[in-house]
């Protein structure tokens, strides 16, 4: 775990602390974070809630976009997000890996994959972040 990265996530996005997000690594090319399965984060059938997975992806992608900001920019905000859910998470961790697809002056597009502990693809998220 990247303790400094986790602290930064929690400081800049307090919601991630409430969810228990842990940062595994952070660099311009790849940001990885995870969240542990917990019954309070589930829906029927002990399945991690889709909103939790989307929050994990959004937070991870936001940091990826921030690390890729063009000179003079101060931040980003999500303006579009598309999520495809492929399988449930019923234990262990959901791990998000975010990489930039396009880094422009006005928008940054980030692709995030979420995998379970067995390496199976749980969700795929494509986001557009406006540069501010």
């Amino acid at each position: 775990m990247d303790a400094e990265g986790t602290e930064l996530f929690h400081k800049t996005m307090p919601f991630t602390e409430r969810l228990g997000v842990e940062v595994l690594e952070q660099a311009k090319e790849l940001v990885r974070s995870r969240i542990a399965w917990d019954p309070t984060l589930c829906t029927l059938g002990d399945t991690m809630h889709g909103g939790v997975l989307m929050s994990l992806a959004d937070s991870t992608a936001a940091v990826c976009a921030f690390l890729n900001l063009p000179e003079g920019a101060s931040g980003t905000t999500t303006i579009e997000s598309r999520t495809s859910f492929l399988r449930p998470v019923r234990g262990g961790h959901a791990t998000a890996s975010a990489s930039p697809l396009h880094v422009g002056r006005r928008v940054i597009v980030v692709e995030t994959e979420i995998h379970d502990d067995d390496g199976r693809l749980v969700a795929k998220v494509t986001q557009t972040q406006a540069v501010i």
Side-chain angles (χ1 to χ4, degrees), residues 98-114:
S99 300
L101 290 178
H102 168 77
V103 178
R105 289 178 291 142
R106 297 179 188 239
V107 297
I108 298 172
V109 179
V110 179
E111 183 174 75
T112 305
E113 290 189 349
I114 301 176

Side-chain angles (χ1 to χ4, degrees), residues 17-34:
E17 183 173 17
R18 176 171 246 177
L19 289 176
V21 174
E22 300 174 318
V23 175
L24 302 174
E25 63 182 287
Q26 56 178 335
K28 286 179 78 165
E29 304 80 25
L30 177 67
V31 177
R32 291 179 61 241
S33 66
R34 70 181 183 178

